[in-house]
Structure formats: structure tokens, C-alpha cells
Amino acid sequence: MIIDGDKYEVILNRKTLKERIKALAKKITTDYRGGPPPILLIVINGSMNFGVRLSEELQSAGLNHMTESVRIKRYHGENQAGDIKIISEPCIDLSGREIIVIEDLVDEGKTLNFLNKFLEDKKPKGLQYCVLAVKKDHQPLDFEIKYKVIEEDL
């Protein structure tokens, strides 16, 4: 595929992506069935489409859940070399709750490590991560990614 003169490789076609998200939703439903409804914490803006699709599949699979969002900004520039900040915090109390963080891509891993520390300080009952894809050259993560749509590292 060529976009604006740059060549890109298609990793998954639309049909396969939908099938994988549906299969992942079934796995999450199995893991959380019978417990309190988890909160899907969608990292916006990048993960919004993935989060909405996953939420729809979870609903279809019969898992009651809530959705919430968090917005993170990584600043670049002379005085702010990669500083990470929470721009918009979740509106609900996360303490004692089951949280599933929804992220589209683990690139370097710095932002998710920052978010993980932020969320651990909120004292959730459980904290899991669900990502669309992971780049292979990311820094070590402070947590395990339990759910991946694309299992292969990019």
C-alpha cells in the first residue's frame, strides 16, 4: 500500500482484524465473567476506535463493563525532552476496581510505564493491559501485556 508516496506493508486485513478483536473479546469475557464489571480505560486519542470496537464485542459476548478514558501527552522540545503528562484523568474513582487499559500501540513503552505508575497509585483491584500491537524494540515494561490483537512484534 502506498500513502503519500510512502510504501507500507499491510499486517492484517480488515476481516482478520475484526475476527481477532472478537476472539480477544471472548477471552476477556471468559476471564471476567462472574466478577464485577471491569472498566475499559481507553488511552485517547489513538486507541479510541480500537476501544469502541472491543467494547461492542464485549457487549455482544455478554460482558457488562464500563468505559472511561485517559489522555496522555508526551512533550517534545528544547525544554521538555519527552516529558509525559496526564492531560485528562479518568472521571471515576478507580480504587478497588478491575481496570483493563486499552492502547493501540506500544512504541517505546515510556508512556505506558508512566501510565502504569499513575494507575497503580489509584489502587485498583486489578490492572491489565490490552493492546492492538507492540513494537519489538520498546524499553522493558513494568507490567505484562495480557491481551494482544497482533501477537507478533512489529
Side-chain angles (χ1 to χ4, degrees):
M1 167 186 300
I2 297 177
I3 301 173
D4 294 332
D6 294 323
K7 188 175 181 178
Y8 295 92
E9 176 185 351
V10 175
I11 297 169
L12 288 180
N13 63 40
R14 192 172 296 210
K15 180 182 176 201
T16 303
L17 182 61
K18 286 177 87 174
E19 289 169 354
R20 287 196 184 182
I21 291 173
K22 186 174 187 169
L24 187 63
K26 287 181 182 178
K27 182 175 181 359
I28 292 170
T29 298
T30 299
D31 290 351
Y32 285 89
R33 183 169 275 134
I39 298 171
L40 297 186
L41 185 61
I42 302 169
V43 180
I44 58 174
N45 290 333
S47 303
M48 187 57 78
N49 287 336
F50 171 42
V52 168
R53 288 189 181 2
L54 180 61
S55 178
E56 290 169 347
E57 290 296 342
L58 290 170
Q59 198 66 38
S60 293
L63 181 66
N64 290 328
H65 62 282
M66 298 176 63
T67 57
E68 185 57 73
S69 64
V70 61
R71 187 169 188 184
I72 304 169
K73 178 78 173 170
R74 187 156 175 206
Y75 294 93
H76 296 281
E78 279 184 36
N79 299 328
Q80 297 172 323
D83 290 344
I84 303 168
K85 295 189 188 319
I86 303 288
I87 300 300
S88 176
E89 291 191 26
C91 296
I92 59 175
D93 182 13
L94 302 177
S95 64
R97 306 294 297 270
E98 291 288 347
I99 310 296
I100 305 171
V101 176
I102 309 300
E103 176 65 296
D104 59 347
L105 177 66
V106 177
D107 190 355
E108 293 179 359
K110 292 179 183 178
T111 302
L112 274 187
N113 277 335
F114 177 86
L115 179 61
N116 187 65
K117 174 70 174 122
F118 171 82
L119 293 173
E120 284 180 342
D121 289 346
K122 301 291 182 187
K123 310 248 184 280
K125 180 179 180 183
L127 181 57
Q128 298 297 337
Y129 288 82
C130 176
V131 301
L132 192 58
V134 179
K135 285 192 175 179
K136 63 183 168 192
D137 294 331
H138 63 79
Q139 74 178 35
L141 298 173
D142 300 333
F143 55 89
E144 175 189 347
I145 298 172
K146 185 168 185 177
Y147 305 107
K148 294 181 192 175
V149 174
I150 300 172
E151 290 289 337
E152 309 79 22
D153 286 338
L154 303 179

